[in-house]
Amino acid sequence: MSKQRLIIQKAIELFSQKTIAKTSIQDITEACGISKGAFYLSFRSKEELLIAIVDQLIQDQTIAFQKLADEDSSPRDKLSKFCSSSMHLFNEQFPLFEMLLTENLKDAKAELLQKVEIFNRAMNDIIITLLQDTYGEKLQHNKYDIHLCLKGLIHSYTDFTIHHRKHYDFKKIAELILHYIDVLVEHQFEPFVEEEQFLENSSMCNKQLSIRQLIMEELTRVKTLYDKNSFFGQSIHLLENEFSQPIPSAVLLNGMAANIQHDKELQWLSTLVKQFSPLPHL
């Protein structure tokens, strides 16, 4: 585990015990067994650490959902798992999110909004793919309305379970949500949301530019972690070369993403590459 990841992990643990305001940098360095100087080599301030924590949470959730989408199981099972995992993750992490939302991170607002927007786009892509795989041709008439309905149901049940602190069976709630979606799909109502409206603020060009920027940043980070002659070092070098091209090869990118996806330090890079160049829907 890198020093940055260690600091993030220990900080999250301390924030959960003491809150962010009552946790000092010294508390964090003592929990990590490092000096303050070592902390400041990784993060210039507590605010920068908080930004990194938000970034890490977004990365972890995106990776988890991409893994789910890549699973070798039935489309309906994957859609059900997506619903239950979404509710479970947000319930589990809500106390930390709540603390982070009260912090004044205005200096990094634009950067964080960009990362959240990329996360939302990734989730939209995954949901649309799961819905299409589950319902096929029945969905084509109003898939964007169904997509919004599914997200709305997940959000509403998540909000309910967060504010009624009891033990809930998220798998059962997920199946209930899918029963509601089944009815909507079968009903074939007149669509309200057209494809152009749904995609107008998230064009493929803008999406790829944003993700490409994140990929280049991540390539810069991870290439310092591996010997350039190692398997992963060579994989990183090949990805760098491919992203230096105006139009990278989708086949090569997906092959490289598959090669590195099981290494812990490279999972975020693998997920970004898959989001940049998704396999065509069959």
Side-chain angles (χ1 to χ4, degrees):
M1 182 186 295
S2 68
K3 190 182 296 177
Q4 281 193 343
R5 289 185 185 275
L6 173 65
I7 293 170
I8 288 171
Q9 180 181 306
K10 293 299 181 183
I12 289 173
E13 290 173 7
L14 289 169
F15 294 160
S16 298
Q17 297 166 13
K18 302 173 65 172
T19 75
I20 294 173
K22 292 181 180 178
T23 301
S24 66
I25 289 175
Q26 184 168 339
D27 292 332
I28 296 168
T29 56
E30 288 176 358
C32 294
I34 61 173
S35 66
K36 280 191 176 180
F39 174 91
Y40 286 114
L41 284 173
S42 296
F43 302 103
R44 289 173 294 181
S45 64
K46 190 175 177 182
E47 182 184 79
E48 191 170 285
L49 170 60
L50 295 178
I51 295 165
I53 289 173
V54 173
D55 197 19
Q56 189 64 56
L57 292 174
I58 289 172
Q59 288 183 26
D60 290 346
Q61 291 197 14
T62 308
I63 290 167
F65 290 136
Q66 184 63 55
K67 280 183 178 179
L68 190 154
D70 292 340
E71 275 185 12
D72 185 18
S73 57
S74 76
R76 190 178 182 90
D77 282 347
K78 288 196 279 191
L79 186 57
S80 179
K81 283 181 185 177
F82 178 86
C83 296
S84 59
S85 297
S86 297
M87 290 183 285
H88 174 75
L89 281 169
F90 284 111
N91 267 269
E92 190 178 63
Q93 295 177 349
F94 177 74
L96 179 59
F97 274 125
E98 192 174 39
M99 280 190 283
L100 289 167
L101 286 171
T102 64
E103 292 295 312
N104 184 10
L105 299 176
K106 62 183 180 181
D107 291 340
K109 187 176 180 182
E111 180 185 353
L112 290 176
L113 284 176
Q114 182 195 40
K115 291 176 191 275
V116 170
E117 175 60 21
I118 289 173
F119 171 74
N120 284 332
R121 291 174 185 173
M123 292 306 98
N124 286 341
D125 290 344
I126 289 171
I127 292 170
I128 289 290
T129 299
L130 292 175
L131 284 169
Q132 288 181 152
D133 289 345
T134 301
Y135 296 104
E137 289 299 318
K138 289 182 179 179
L139 186 74
Q140 295 311 307
H141 183 61
N142 46 28
K143 67 180 176 182
Y144 297 110
D145 290 271
I146 297 293
H147 166 272
L148 293 179
C149 290
L150 178 61
K151 286 185 74 174
L153 286 166
I154 293 172
H155 174 80
S156 296
Y157 279 106
T158 300
D159 184 67
F160 179 86
T161 55
I162 283 172
H163 292 98
H164 294 76
R165 304 304 297 173
K166 297 178 182 178
H167 176 73
Y168 290 100
D169 186 338
F170 294 116
K171 289 182 180 179
K172 253 183 196 178
I173 300 173
E175 283 305 310
L176 178 61
I177 289 172
L178 290 196
H179 286 315
Y180 289 135
I181 298 300
D182 289 343
V183 173
L184 291 173
V185 171
E186 289 297 329
H187 186 62
Q188 290 289 312
F189 52 85
E190 188 65 26
F192 175 75
V193 182
E194 301 293 341
E195 184 174 16
E196 293 76 16
Q197 294 172 300
F198 186 81
L199 299 177
E200 65 183 1
N201 292 321
S202 58
S203 71
M204 181 58 71
C205 179
N206 288 336
K207 173 188 171 183
Q208 288 192 328
L209 284 173
S210 299
I211 295 180
R212 189 172 190 144
Q213 180 184 342
L214 290 180
I215 288 171
M216 299 311 294
E217 291 172 3
E218 188 64 4
L219 282 168
T220 300
R221 184 187 77 83
V222 298
K223 72 179 180 181
T224 64
L225 304 178
Y226 302 90
D227 184 280
K228 65 180 180 180
N229 295 317
S230 68
F231 173 77
F232 290 129
Q234 290 177 357
S235 298
I236 292 165
H237 180 66
L238 285 171
L239 280 170
E240 273 193 309
N241 284 345
E242 197 58 31
F243 276 102
S244 70
Q245 305 301 316
I247 305 176
S249 164
V251 173
L252 191 148
L253 291 183
N254 278 285
M256 298 306 299
N259 286 344
I260 64 175
Q261 66 185 352
H262 299 298
D263 184 84
K264 181 73 174 174
E265 287 289 348
L266 297 175
Q267 286 181 343
W268 178 232
L269 177 60
S270 174
T271 300
L272 287 172
V273 171
K274 289 178 182 179
Q275 292 296 327
F276 179 86
S277 185
L279 289 169
H281 180 71
L282 301 177

